[in-house]
Amino acid sequence: MKRVLVTGGAGFIGSHLCTRLVNEGNDVICLDNFFTGAKRNVMHLIGNPRFELVRHDVINPFHAEVDEIYNLACPASPVHYQYNAIKTIKTSVMGAINMLGLAKRVNAKILQASTSEVYGDPIVHPQKESYWGNVNPIGIRSCYDEGKRCAESLFMDYHRQNGVRIKIIRIFNTYGPNMHPNDGRVVSNFIVQALNNRDITLYGDGSQTRSFQYVDDLVEGMARLMATDDSVIGPVNVGNPNEFTIKELAEKVVKITGSSSKFVYRDLPSDDPKQRQPDISYAKKILDWKPVVELNEGLKLTVDYFRNLD
Ligand code: NAD
Ligand code: UDP
């Protein structure tokens, strides 16, 4: 049994991670300020003696005796991270400093939930960990992209300077149950629109691509990375390399839901990456991991979740 801290634990990914860690017999502290997360995501864990839910903002220091820290606290949807851009940077940067300070003090292993956004609008395709990216440092996505890049720098510096045991995972677009219905990300938007027979909003001409990973595959990759020995620090890409255009995604959602929704086209937000696909050879080698849930299957599970949501 380990004592594990999950920041952002009441969010979409964090709630799946907390559930898995509790089910494996660990003592879990879930820390969240509920900006985009919700108590309902972890309701099934409340009352379990192995689970504690703490309302806390990671821009402030936090003290606890723990063996492992998963640092997920940060809004992930463009709509939410742009809502208060300064707060987003503070969350990434000060949150990383506070959690790295804690890891240093209690000698915990710490895993940073980084992102494919560190590659920006990539000119190398697919993206390997060795690619340094193409990020606009002054654009509307930079509060998230640069915040996450700075967090990666901080992780590396705490490792080099203080010997902190770090792991950096670069997560590619992930979807599944517990996404917020108003999250603004493409999978939840399309499913909610389709289930309500409302217009499906394609930004631009829908030809931009993404590679969608089901949340269970990601959580498996995260747990495997945390379990590696101290010599493995990453960064490691974890995502599903099957790449689809946004229009193809919309067509799949309409088919699965049997919706009568029509497609409408909206302006493409600035700096919206044109393509994204992970090269996962490093994760395969180091973690013996690959995604197993196909998009159609994962979408059906996610549609069922949204159908049953009150
Ligand atoms: P989410 O918005 O559902 O979860 C983020 C959680 O962090 C929420 O519960 C939110 O309330 C909490 N939070 C935000 N700011 C906080 C703060 N200052 N203090 C404490 N808690 C705070 O998003 P998610 O998709 O579950 O993302 C989780 C992590 O994974 C994020 O760090 C995100 O950048 C990263 N990530 C996600 C994806 C994806 O496709 N879902 C891709 C790349 C990286
Ligand atoms: N997108 C879209 N319609 C929506 C929401 C998003 O066409 O209602 C597009 C968006 O412009 C982007 C892609 O879908 O090209 C993925 O967007 P998301 O916000 O999910 O993630 P990210 O851009 O951060 O990968």
Side-chain angles (χ1 to χ4, degrees):
M1 188 196 79
K2 285 168 294 193
R3 297 160 303 173
V4 188
L5 172 64
V6 181
T7 77
F12 156 50
I13 296 171
S15 57
H16 289 273
L17 182 63
C18 287
T19 303
R20 178 187 169 124
L21 291 167
V22 169
N23 288 343
E24 284 174 345
N26 301 293
D27 250 341
V28 175
I29 302 174
C30 167
L31 186 156
D32 209 294
N33 71 348
F34 303 112
F35 174 47
T36 50
K39 282 185 195 152
R40 79 162 173 272
N41 288 340
V42 289
M43 198 60 97
H44 56 288
L45 298 173
I46 291 172
N48 187 318
R50 289 199 291 265
F51 182 75
E52 282 168 76
L53 180 59
V54 180
R55 182 188 287 267
H56 181 84
D57 193 309
V58 290
I59 69 167
N60 300 310
F62 182 77
H63 302 278
E65 291 291 329
V66 289
D67 306 301
E68 294 179 349
I69 303 169
Y70 289 86
N71 187 36
L72 274 64
C74 185
S77 133
V79 176
H80 288 131
Y81 69 63
Q82 285 161 20
Y83 172 76
N84 184 344
I86 297 167
K87 178 67 193 258
T88 299
I89 302 189
K90 280 186 175 173
T91 295
S92 273
V93 175
M94 293 164 74
I97 292 172
N98 287 327
M99 290 306 130
L100 284 160
L102 175 62
K104 180 183 161 195
R105 210 157 35 243
V106 300
N107 191 27
K109 268 200 243 183
I110 178 164
L111 179 146
Q112 167 66 359
S114 191
T115 167
S116 51
E117 281 290 316
V118 300
Y119 302 120
D121 190 5
I123 26 192
V124 169
H125 195 74
Q127 293 80 53
K128 268 186 185 306
E129 291 86 350
S130 53
Y131 177 46
W132 289 356
N134 178 37
V135 172
N136 175 358
I138 56 170
I140 56 168
R141 294 174 83 104
S142 67
C143 59
Y144 183 73
D145 301 6
E146 297 291 14
K148 288 283 186 180
R149 285 167 69 97
C150 183
E152 286 201 10
S153 306
L154 284 161
F155 268 69
M156 291 306 299
D157 289 334
Y158 269 77
H159 173 67
R160 281 187 288 250
Q161 230 168 292
N162 299 122
V164 173
R165 299 183 292 148
I166 64 156
K167 315 273 175 197
I168 299 172
I169 186 167
R170 289 186 181 153
I171 303 169
F172 283 65
N173 295 66
T174 303
Y175 69 97
N178 296 0
M179 289 185 95
H180 196 288
N182 300 326
D183 181 87
R185 279 178 281 188
V186 68
V187 174
S188 44
N189 265 13
F190 285 2
I191 292 177
V192 171
Q193 289 163 345
L195 288 176
N196 291 294
N197 294 312
R198 291 204 307 260
D199 289 345
I200 292 195
T201 51
L202 290 151
Y203 300 161
D205 61 4
S207 66
Q208 68 274 34
T209 69
R210 293 292 186 274
S211 309
F212 298 100
Q213 154 174 253
Y214 189 64
V215 64
D216 288 359
D217 284 331
L218 167 64
V219 169
E220 180 63 32
M222 289 176 114
R224 287 190 190 210
L225 179 58
M226 188 58 111
T228 52
D229 67 52
D230 292 348
S231 66
V232 179
I233 60 174
V236 187
N237 287 342
V238 172
N240 190 320
N242 293 333
E243 186 182 3
F244 297 89
T245 66
I246 295 304
K247 189 155 183 210
E248 284 170 334
L249 174 73
E251 286 161 354
K252 279 184 184 296
V253 170
V254 166
K255 194 161 169 210
I256 289 168
T257 52
S259 170
S260 58
S261 293
K262 304 271 173 295
F263 294 169
V264 293
Y265 293 86
R266 300 273 180 262
D267 290 345
L268 191 66
S270 68
D271 295 336
D272 198 280
K274 284 179 275 307
Q275 54 182 3
R276 190 181 288 152
Q277 184 192 32
D279 180 323
I280 57 165
S281 10
Y282 185 54
K284 278 185 178 159
K285 183 172 148 218
I286 212 90
L287 309 176
D288 189 24
W289 171 92
K290 64 175 183 352
V292 294
V293 182
E294 291 300 334
L295 185 56
N296 272 324
E297 191 190 335
L299 283 178
K300 282 182 192 148
L301 296 167
T302 313
V303 166
D304 286 346
Y305 167 78
F306 279 107
R307 258 193 225 285
N308 294 324
L309 205 61
D310 192 358

